[in-house]
Amino acid sequence: MKTTLKRGMGRGATVNGNGRAVYPPGIRTSMTRYRQPGPPEHGAWRIVRVVLLWTVLASLIVAGGVAGAVYLRAHRFVAAIAPHSVVDKAAAKAADVAIPGQPTTALVIGTDKRRGPQAEVTGRSDTLMLVRADPQTNTISLLSFPRDLIATIKCPGHPDSRDRINAAYSACGSLGSLETVRALTGIPINYFITVNFRGFLDLVNNLGGVWVDVDHRYLCNDQTCPDVTPIDLQPGYQRLRALQALAYVRFRHFDSDLYRVARQQLFLKALKQQITSSLGLQTLLDVIGAVEKNVVIGRGGNKPLDLATIKDYVYFARSLPPGHIFQARIEGLTGQFELSAPQENVAAAVRDFVQPDVRSPDKARDVALGIKRRSAAPRPKDTTVTVLNGNGIAGSAANAAYELGQRGYKIVLPATGTPQNAPNFNYFSTTVYFDRSQRRSRAAALRVSNLFGDATLKPLPAGLMTTLANGAMTSVVVGQNFHGSIAPAPVDKTPVKQAPEVTPNAAMTRSSLLSLRKRVPFRLEVPRLVERSSRLDFESPVRLHTIKKGHNAVRLTFRTASGAYWGIEQTDWTDAPILGDANFLHRIRGREFSFYYSGAHLHMVVLRENGATYWVVNTILDALSNETMLAIARGLTPLPK
């Protein structure tokens, strides 16, 4: 199949010594970046806004038309965050050069470098996280590394050693972290971003805080947690100020690094929800000033970062569909002060990071609700495809056809003697045509187009294109934005249908809610069903608080037998930032529920009725099954008036 598909395909398909078609230029080869004309810009204000949004989105993962002067400030900002030290320049040079139109990965390094007497004795990476932006699947993936994870430390000029992964930064700065993570994962890294404690604090302060759902009571002081960062947080949805946010994302004293990295990823998602809202000009300038002094962004090949690239990434992040931020985790970690995991577990986390299953929320929703769906698209083995070269790059059609054949699609060759070329080589975007005369051809073409990221979908026109299609159900014309490979096949993470692990126990919370119902302006609801092993948390079981000026909330906090916390938030604040990214909206027996997924895990279910919202929030690690979450939400019952 492989030899047959590649023979004579493409515009004079070049082959190497193995008879294989040559792929597009390698990752370190310079190449022309093709651009479609974008929408007209509206002055320097948009540029400054773009700079802010990208920088805040990237750097805060750790912890992790005005006037011409503003435009100049934006350029000064870009220059300020560029690598200046010898080691940062070396790290930028060592990073992989990004291929236009292909996924890119950034390594975010949160350092514990501080001012004052500790400045000389601190300098390890407090947080390491990979962030992958994939335009082919419209996703952002996150993969965090516990700072106590034992890894092979790579520091150029020094022998390899086994140590905690955060030691790589103290050994040789950003270069050490980049080389160590790249060696551990095998993932090309195109950018690195460092931010220190001071930068984190200044950024959160200048944003006015970040809205976060806190899962339980966090209390650490000199008596309970000597020699650690103090923290004092009540459970519930609240705006965290700078020191609170830093303490929250760094906390690990009564659980583990696994929970710590999960908190950091939840903080990032909360941050994205907030920065997509409008910000004032003065806030923008304040944040830019803070970032200039505390953040470094290095680009692969030591290329200077430019405003156009920043704009591209910001627009990509802001236009993500709900639920398209995926979190990968290294499972099976063992140890207490030093953590280790089998290499196959690291490889599995890398696979989930690189190949997120974009349809996992849909499939998980269908399983939980018992929805049986028959795919509108035929199976790959029942789909015929013709692949044509529309970019003039030798071997493009052959490569695409081979990749589709590997996925099980039936490749149809053009009629004998007809070159495998489109009518012209002016296709920027890959275009997938469907033959309207064939049943389910549009659905088949849609599935094929998803493999090419932002491919255009069109009906097959009459004339030459019909001749070239040679009777195929779909026809792919690869454009300039195709670089030799299609989206990788994700691992199916669809959970198996299971019975909800709940028990009837309205009495657990009924009396507490009855005592509070006259103190809130909305109708409270009692959970008739709770997770089977759960009890109300003894530290802060039921909390009445002002969630926002003019709005009250009641938080119920439960603790499972395994020590994990989940909760129910009830409030009349119906447009909180966290409520803006629902994956699905369903009416079940006349009641309106919003579903919020993290991959295949149902992280939150929100019931809207009586002019209020009622949130069932899963644990930090999404330990409650989807069916359990749904059963608890459906069991919410209004208290008598």
Side-chain angles (χ1 to χ4, degrees), residues 383-515:
T383 303
T384 53
V385 185
T386 293
V387 185
L388 304 174
N389 191 322
N391 58 28
I393 300 173
S396 287
N399 291 332
Y402 173 69
E403 296 249 353
L404 289 170
Q406 292 294 101
R407 297 291 179 85
Y409 286 93
K410 295 176 64 175
I411 306 301
V412 175
L413 302 177
T416 304
T418 304
Q420 182 110 359
N421 294 330
N424 62 70
F425 296 129
N426 299 325
Y427 283 79
F428 173 82
S429 296
T430 296
T431 302
V432 181
Y433 296 98
F434 57 93
D435 184 353
R436 286 180 288 191
S437 67
Q438 299 189 46
R439 183 172 170 268
R440 297 201 289 168
S441 62
R442 191 183 190 284
L446 179 61
R447 174 175 286 182
V448 172
S449 69
N450 289 336
L451 299 175
F452 291 87
D454 55 355
T456 303
L457 192 68
K458 293 182 178 180
L460 183 68
L464 180 56
M465 277 299 302
T466 299
T467 302
L468 293 171
N470 198 20
M473 180 181 291
T474 64
S475 300
V476 177
V477 180
V478 292
Q480 296 169 4
N481 64 349
F482 174 70
H483 296 284
S485 62
I486 60 180
V491 177
D492 192 344
K493 294 282 187 177
T494 307
V496 177
K497 178 76 172 180
Q498 54 185 294
E501 297 180 356
V502 293
T503 186
N505 198 339
M508 185 185 295
T509 57
R510 183 180 177 87
S511 61
S512 297
L513 292 173
L514 284 171
S515 69

Side-chain angles (χ1 to χ4, degrees), residues 291-334:
V291 170
E292 285 179 346
K293 303 171 185 176
N294 302 289
V295 174
V296 174
I297 301 179
R299 186 180 185 184
N302 206 17
K303 293 183 177 181
L305 194 64
D306 57 89
L307 292 175
T309 300
I310 294 174
K311 181 191 71 173
D312 289 346
Y313 282 113
V314 173
Y315 285 172
F316 171 77
R318 294 191 68 198
S319 63
L320 283 179
H324 274 229
I325 296 180
F326 291 86
Q327 300 164 231
R329 297 180 182 132
I330 300 175
E331 305 288 355
L333 291 167
T334 58

